[in-house]
Amino acid sequence: MLERKENIIQNKTEDFSDRMVLLYQYLTEKKNEYIISKQIYRSGTSIGANVAESKYAISRPDFINKLTLALKEANETEYWLKRLYHGHYLTQYQYDSLFQDIDSIISILTKIVKTLKAQ
């Protein structure tokens, strides 16, 4: 297993991306859901991709932009999670677990972006 550096938002978004891959497989294979599963797969994995890209931003505004994009993707993912739950594709337990993760990610990204923009 790869050793991970202590970067909370990077670790959380990577773990969440892994969960989105598993969720996509579950939704397509077990629930025969192909539309929303593709949407949440894209937005849910994009969060971590934007956080990863921010590490090599070419400027401070570019860094802020990448994290802002990650936050937007996180908000979209939260929306799709709610749709899947209300459409009875996710159990209460599945929804609560995924929602707790995305809520934490949104909270952290919001704090980072607000702090960076205020400086």
Side-chain angles (χ1 to χ4, degrees):
M1 184 166 177
L2 295 173
E3 188 174 322
R4 290 165 39 141
K5 293 182 181 179
E6 196 57 37
N7 182 329
I8 293 170
I9 193 60
Q10 181 178 347
N11 293 344
K12 281 185 173 285
T13 57
E14 286 176 357
D15 291 345
F16 190 76
S17 290
D18 293 343
R19 292 191 76 190
M20 290 297 96
V21 171
L22 295 174
L23 177 62
Y24 177 78
Q25 291 172 337
Y26 167 77
L27 290 169
T28 56
E29 294 171 10
K30 304 283 188 211
K31 297 291 188 171
N32 295 317
E33 200 302 308
Y34 302 99
I35 306 300
I36 298 174
S37 60
K38 194 169 282 191
Q39 292 290 336
I40 198 165
Y41 174 79
R42 287 180 181 156
S43 65
T45 56
S46 182
I47 303 163
N50 280 293
V51 169
E53 284 185 43
S54 74
K55 291 178 4 182
Y56 297 102
I58 58 173
S59 64
R60 182 179 173 82
D62 186 38
F63 180 70
I64 294 169
N65 184 55
K66 297 289 187 213
L67 294 179
T68 301
L69 288 173
L71 179 57
K72 288 180 178 184
E73 294 293 341
N75 280 306
E76 179 181 343
T77 301
E78 180 184 58
Y79 172 82
W80 291 123
L81 278 175
K82 290 177 182 176
R83 302 295 56 83
L84 287 167
Y85 175 68
H86 291 291
H88 305 288
Y89 290 102
L90 298 175
T91 65
Q92 182 76 50
Y93 177 80
Q94 291 168 321
Y95 172 76
D96 289 345
S97 176
L98 289 164
F99 187 84
Q100 182 178 6
D101 284 355
I102 196 63
D103 190 51
S104 174
I105 289 168
I106 289 170
S107 178
I108 294 167
L109 285 171
T110 299
K111 288 176 187 171
I112 292 170
V113 169
K114 282 185 178 181
T115 300
L116 289 169
K117 286 183 176 181
Q119 293 177 343

